[in-house]
Amino acid sequence: MAVRAVRGAVQLERDEAGHMDEQVGALLTAILERNELVADDLISIWFTATPDLHSDFPAAAARKLGIVDVPLICAQELDIEGAMPRVVRVLAHIESDRPRAGVAHVYLGAAAALRKDIAQ
C-alpha cells in the first residue's frame, strides 16, 4: 500500500459554524467516496482556511463525520490580495493502491476555479 496525498477545497457562502460543518463535511465525504476510501485509509488531514473564516475549526466537521482517530490540524491560509475569499482547503494523506495519477482531487463549487488542472 502506498502513501498518497489528496487535495480539495470548498468556498463557503458565509462564515457560520453550521454552514462550515455542512460544506467541509460534503468535501470530505466527496473525497472519501471518489477515492473509494474509508476512515481507516486516512493517515492525517491538514485544513487551511482563509483569514476571513472565524466561526469554527474546519477539523470539527471531520470529527462530526466520525473521523475521530486521525490526526487533524488547522492553519490559516496566506492572506494574498485578490485571493478567493471564504475557502477551506484540505490536504489528506492516505494509504491507497491507486497510482498517483488515479487519485481524485475534489474541488467543490466555485473552488474548482482554484485548480482547474486537477479539479474533478
Side-chain angles (χ1 to χ4, degrees), residues 7-9 46-53 58 74-80 83-91 114:
R7 285 292 317 272
W46 281 77
F47 296 89
T48 64
T50 51
D52 51 2
L53 294 175
C74 298
Q76 187 175 35
E77 190 69 37
L78 294 172
D79 191 9
I80 304 298
M84 184 179 287
R86 299 177 318 282
V87 174
V88 174
R89 291 173 174 84
V90 170
L91 172 63
L114 295 171

Side-chain angles (χ1 to χ4, degrees), residues 16-56:
E16 294 176 1
H19 181 62
M20 182 180 291
D21 282 346
E22 175 185 297
Q23 294 300 304
V24 174
L27 175 61
L28 291 172
T29 298
I31 287 171
L32 292 172
E33 288 176 355
R34 292 182 194 179
N35 288 286
E36 299 176 343
L37 300 169
V38 295
D40 281 347
D41 298 322
L42 298 169
I43 297 169
S44 64
I45 306 175
W46 281 77
F47 296 89
T48 64
T50 51
D52 51 2
L53 294 175
H54 310 280
S55 62
D56 202 357

Side-chain angles (χ1 to χ4, degrees), residues 9-11 84 106-117 119-120:
V10 63
Q11 184 183 38
M84 184 179 287
V106 180
Y107 288 77
L108 299 180
L114 295 171
R115 290 296 307 266
K116 293 179 184 178
D117 57 325
Q120 298 176 352

Side-chain angles (χ1 to χ4, degrees), residues 54-101:
H54 310 280
S55 62
D56 202 357
F57 294 99
R63 299 291 184 225
K64 290 176 182 171
L65 286 178
I67 301 171
V68 296
D69 62 350
V70 175
L72 308 175
I73 193 165
C74 298
Q76 187 175 35
E77 190 69 37
L78 294 172
D79 191 9
I80 304 298
E81 187 174 328
M84 184 179 287
R86 299 177 318 282
V87 174
V88 174
R89 291 173 174 84
V90 170
L91 172 63
H93 299 96
I94 63 169
E95 291 181 321
S96 176
D97 287 329
R98 287 175 180 254
R100 185 175 289 139

